[in-house]
Amino acid sequence: MTSKRTPRRREIAVVTDLLGANDEIAAQNAELLRRHGVFTVNMMSSPGAGKTTLLEQTLKHFRGRAGTAVIEGDICGTYDVDRLKGLGAQLVQINTSRFGGECHLEANMIRNAVAKLDLGKVKLLFIENVGNLVCPAEFNLGEAAKVAVLSVTEGDDKPAKYPLMFRICDLLVLSKTDLIPHTNFSAKKFHAHVKRINPRLGVVEASAVSGEGMSAWYEWLARRIPRGPRK
Ligand SMILES: Nc1nc2c(ncn2[C@@H]2O[C@H](COP(=O)(O)OP(=O)(O)O)[C@@H](O)[C@H]2O)c(=O)[nH]1
Ligand SMILES: [Mg+2]
């Protein structure tokens, strides 16, 4: 019996160490980005919720208004980075298959990616996390804000089923609102779940395809861009 208990204790210690080490690097990333006057957003969602589509429109909107960069996290491939080319943003791809196919990004990966950016030209840095509503919520990256994206096609119950993600995020973007008439998504049930999990959480309801609600998202970002030299 005792031999079974010991490994469990060790396992917990290792996980705590891992998160502690990650937090230390995240704090260094945060300090570096803050010193350069960069507002960094960690975008998290399940696969297909619409993060890249949201970013496509966001980069178009801020082109000429503020310097942008995107760090794309995927298990493999450059599909999303390829979609974002030509929109004025500096782009860096992270493939977690090189790190054992992690289902989330970690702070050391962001440190390496940030080193490839010309931060002197960036005001808004977006990190598109690996598609997953679970693990990304546990790893700080050095971001100034965590944004969860949930699409109406995923169902109104997801905040209740994945509470950590909706507890730790600073903003929730409810995406693909143009599809509401074609689903059984209940805004009433969705808002009740959100209120119970995280009563102060702001929600932006938007469709990156129709453009409805996107101005609230752009304004939320614009208000957070650090003042300082124009870049
Ligand atoms: N109808 C509709 N489809 C969308 C919207 N946003 C994204 N999509 C579609 O949803 C699919 C997944 O989007 P994507 O941006 O790749 O999601 P990601 O995996 O979170 O980056 C694509 O086929 C998009 O065209 C939206 O606002 N409305
Ligand atoms: Mg994507």
Side-chain angles (χ1 to χ4, degrees), residues 133 158-169 197-198:
L133 273 181
K158 293 307 168 288
K161 292 182 73 177
Y162 300 91
L164 181 63
M165 175 61 77
F166 299 92
R167 223 171 259 143
I168 56 101
C169 65
I197 300 292
N198 188 349

Side-chain angles (χ1 to χ4, degrees), residues 45-53 55 72-74 79-81 83-84 128-131:
S45 79
S46 54
K51 299 180 298 303
T52 311
T53 310
L55 285 176
E72 272 293 346
D74 280 300
Y79 302 97
D80 287 357
V81 142
R83 284 167 60 186
L84 300 178
E128 180 174 340
N129 217 312
V130 180

Side-chain angles (χ1 to χ4, degrees), residues 44-54 133 149-154 173-176:
M44 296 173 285
S45 79
S46 54
K51 299 180 298 303
T52 311
T53 310
L54 198 62
L133 273 181
V149 181
L150 180 74
S151 57
V152 299
T153 49
E154 291 168 77
V173 176
L174 180 68
S175 62
K176 307 193 190 182

Side-chain angles (χ1 to χ4, degrees), residues 47-65:
K51 299 180 298 303
T52 311
T53 310
L54 198 62
L55 285 176
E56 285 175 300
Q57 299 309 318
T58 306
L59 297 185
K60 284 181 200 163
H61 175 82
F62 282 101
R63 194 171 198 173
R65 292 181 164 104

